[in-house]
Each structure stands twice: as structure tokens, then as C-alpha cells.
Amino acid sequence: MINDNRNYYRKHINIPRELVSSIDEMAKKYSYTTQNKLYIELLELGILKFNENFSLRNTISNLVGQVQELIEILNSKK
């Protein structure tokens, strides 16, 4: 197997022990060949979830703004 390091960035991170324990258990439970693969998958899922939550927060914020405008219009017609 050829490992083309040009496609990867080498980073050093510190992970809390509690997370390492959880990740160790998950790696065993889901039969990951290396923990790094699980770390990358969790990171990718986290990024997707973050973007999804960000988009949802923006949508909710826009809806709240529109409802407030509607309430102001209705209140001004009284």
C-alpha cells in the first residue's frame, strides 16, 4: 500500500482522556483497523453537523425576523 503523504497534513492535537477512552471503545466496537480512521470520520461528521446546525440557526433566525416584522405590521394596523 502506497501512502501518498502529499494528500495529508500532519497535525498534533491534544485529546482529553475521556474522549480517548470513548474513541478506543468505538474503534473496537465498530472494528476500525486504526484509530486514526475513526478520528477522521468523527471529524468529518462533526464538520457536517456543524454546518448543518449553522444553516438551521440561520433559517430559524430569518423566520423569527419575518415573524417579528409580521407582528409589527399587524400591530400597526390596530
Side-chain angles (χ1 to χ4, degrees):
M1 181 169 111
I2 297 174
N3 186 5
D4 185 2
N5 287 328
R6 292 175 292 185
N7 291 326
Y8 297 92
Y9 287 98
R10 191 160 203 49
K11 297 290 180 186
H12 174 80
I13 60 170
N14 295 321
I15 301 172
R17 291 183 192 277
E18 300 83 28
L19 286 179
V20 171
S21 297
S22 296
I23 290 171
D24 286 344
E25 290 175 22
M26 289 177 69
K28 291 174 189 172
K29 182 177 179 180
Y30 299 109
S31 303
Y32 279 86
T33 53
T34 65
Q35 285 182 344
N36 282 352
K37 289 182 181 180
L38 179 56
Y39 283 119
I40 296 301
E41 188 168 335
L42 291 171
L43 182 61
E44 289 171 345
L45 290 171
I47 290 169
L48 291 173
K49 185 66 177 171
F50 176 86
N51 288 335
E52 180 182 297
N53 287 346
F54 185 76
S55 175
L56 184 59
R57 283 191 305 263
N58 282 341
T59 300
I60 291 170
S61 179
N62 289 337
L63 284 172
V64 168
Q66 290 173 352
V67 168
Q68 287 174 337
E69 288 177 18
L70 181 59
I71 290 171
E72 288 174 10
I73 290 170
L74 291 174
N75 283 336
S76 70
K77 291 187 177 190
K78 286 183 176 181

